[in-house]
Amino acid sequence: MKKTFHIFLFFLLAAMLLSGTQARAQRINHVIGFYNLENLFDTYNDPSHNDEEFLPEGSNQWTETKYAKKIHNMAEVIRAMHDDNGLWHTILGVSEIENRLVLEDLVSDPQIAEANYQIIHYDGPDRRGVDVALLYDPAKFKYLDSESIPFTFAGSKVKITLNKEAQENFRTRDILMVHGLIGEEHFAFYVCHLPSRIGGKGSDLRSRGAEIIYNHSKKMEKKYPGIKIAVMGDMNDNPTDESQKKWLHGKATIAEMEPGDFFDPFETMLADGYGSLAYRGEWNIYDIIQVNYNLATCTDAGFKLRRVVRNKYYGRVFNKPFMTQQSGQYKGTPFRTFSNGAFIGGYSDHYPTYIVITK
């Protein structure tokens, strides 16, 4: 009798393990990420862009050879993320790109061409001539519409330090919103590159950018009840800064969220020592992805966040040895394209970040 019971128990456990394995295999996963490509300029002179540095005769001596190396490197990172995850990004937001041409060169690189990435890009007014854009897998994401949202000061509740004349002359990247379907569910993705800290630009400008995104996202939630939203970008702020905490309503945990809030999985990671870029020996996470209440708290059969690092964190900073400086003054930090004005053939001064949704 005891032997029969043990045999029964063995087959029961085996069936349970098989059932769990099959359930995991049947999960549908989507990678949603962001990557600052660090000055992805072509080699052609565009009078409408401030691209003089990135010309063959410019200060960076930006030749076709260097450009080809840069494209190869960016594609290598995207390929490495695919190999790690076993699937291509469904959505990949990017920043610091000059135009659509450089993205066409990127997505056609042999390392990632099979992903068949499609491009959403608008030329923006940034004085440095860089834009944000979004790449998507058309087999997984059904594109419906998009909008390039201008950075303005009208109606802001943020206390702006610039005078009226300075506000009228201020130019920075527009914010990209892309709306579509994953499965049958509505999603909106915001891609941004908020104003830099360089040149004494105040935190109020980044707070204003976050305010613009938040206000627009509320309109999308009203128009499409239940819509799931991800805001991604180089925020030039950490998750703990005012732009992210106050104006984007970012929360460090899902448990503390209320309707109208966003969840920032990178706040806990920053506190635990992770970073997407280093400045003067200090790690920061400026490359942030926040998700709205509908996505963060989903309990039905729809898409929900999945832990992706050590079964603990809902976000990942993707860094591999080949993307990291291995010697010298900046050892251990992102292996960038230029260092002290010299081309060193690296990747980017930022590591990419991503989240995974599943059902």
Side-chain angles (χ1 to χ4, degrees), residues 326-344:
Q326 296 298 315
S327 61
Q329 179 182 357
Y330 302 108
K331 181 179 179 179
T333 65
F335 183 21
R336 57 195 301 165
T337 307
F338 288 90
S339 180
N340 297 319
F343 179 76
I344 58 174

Side-chain angles (χ1 to χ4, degrees), residues 91-120:
I91 299 290
L92 178 60
V94 295
S95 68
E96 289 201 20
I97 55 101
E98 182 183 9
N99 51 36
R100 185 183 179 91
L101 171 64
V102 298
L103 293 177
E104 290 175 349
D105 288 343
L106 175 61
V107 301
S108 62
D109 184 280
Q111 298 172 96
I112 64 172
E114 68 184 75
N116 190 32
Y117 284 127
Q118 303 300 297
I119 301 166
I120 307 294

Side-chain angles (χ1 to χ4, degrees), residues 197 236-247 286:
R197 294 175 173 230
N236 275 304
D237 268 340
N238 278 310
T240 50
D241 287 320
E242 186 173 280
S243 66
Q244 305 302 298
K245 297 297 289 182
K246 179 178 179 179
W247 297 102
Y286 288 177

Side-chain angles (χ1 to χ4, degrees), residues 4 25 27 30-31 82 129 144 197 209 233 284-285 299 333-334 343:
T4 303
R27 282 179 181 163
H30 295 277
V31 179
H82 163 273
L144 295 178
R197 294 175 173 230
N284 303 278
I285 300 182
T299 57
T333 65
F343 179 76

Side-chain angles (χ1 to χ4, degrees), residues 279-309:
Y279 181 67
R280 294 181 177 176
E282 182 178 348
W283 281 101
N284 303 278
I285 300 182
Y286 288 177
D287 306 272
I288 295 170
I289 305 171
Q290 296 209 39
V291 300
N292 73 335
Y293 185 85
N294 296 334
L295 180 52
T297 65
C298 178
T299 57
D300 59 20
F303 284 106
K304 55 184 67 67
L305 282 176
R306 174 182 175 183
R307 289 185 175 90
V308 290
V309 177

